[in-house]
Amino acid sequence: QVQLVESGGGLVQAGGSLRLSCAASGLTFSRYVVAWFRQAPGQEREFVAAINWNTDSTYYADSVKGRFTISRDNAKNTVYLEMNSLIPEDTAVYSCAVRRWDSSDYDYWGQGTQVTVAS
C-alpha cells in the first residue's frame, strides 16, 4: 500500500521559512516525478514545484521561483520543499503527489499539511 506523508507545516510570520517533507512508503521514488501542490480556501489546487527523481530536474511555479526549493534524499525516500521569504499568499494546504515519469497523471497523493503565513 502506497502512502505519502507530509510534515513540517505550521504558522510562520511573513518573511519566515518552513521546510516541508514528503515521505513515501510502499513506493520507491525512482522512475517517478514528485510534486508539491497547494490549495487555499475557495481556490483551485495549484502546482508549486516538482522534481524528477531520475534526472534531478526541478520545476517551479512562477509565484514561488526564487523563494522555494525542492530537493530529495535518496536514502530516506523523502522529498523536501524549502520555503523562504514566505508571504501571506502562500497560506494553503500543501500536498505532495507522485506520478510516473512517463505519465501526466498523479497516481498517489498525501493528506496535506497546513501552512499559514501571518502578516
Side-chain angles (χ1 to χ4, degrees):
Q1 180 180 355
V2 175
Q3 192 173 16
L4 302 177
V5 179
E6 302 97 334
S7 60
L11 173 64
V12 64
Q13 294 294 316
S17 300
L18 283 174
R19 188 177 79 156
L20 305 183
S21 300
C22 173
S25 60
L27 172 147
T28 303
F29 279 147
S30 59
R31 295 183 179 272
Y32 284 91
V33 172
V34 184
W36 286 95
F37 290 81
R38 67 186 182 185
Q39 187 168 22
Q43 297 188 23
E44 297 283 322
R45 182 169 59 200
E46 65 171 346
F47 169 82
V48 175
I51 184 166
N52 183 312
W53 199 267
N54 282 347
T55 66
D56 212 26
S57 299
T58 56
Y59 312 88
Y60 297 94
D62 288 342
S63 58
V64 306
K65 206 170 290 184
R67 300 188 298 121
F68 291 11
T69 302
I70 190 170
S71 62
R72 61 186 172 96
D73 185 322
N74 289 1
K76 296 182 178 180
N77 207 35
T78 297
V79 169
Y80 302 100
L81 184 68
E82 184 76 34
M83 305 186 296
N84 298 315
S85 302
L86 285 162
I87 59 178
E89 290 76 13
D90 294 320
T91 296
V93 174
Y94 286 70
S95 301
C96 64
V98 171
R99 63 172 173 86
R100 284 185 55 88
W101 67 272
D102 56 352
S103 171
S104 59
D105 297 324
Y106 285 89
D107 297 315
Y108 304 105
W109 291 82
Q111 83 289 349
T113 186
Q114 176 71 46
V115 171
T116 302
V117 183
S119 57

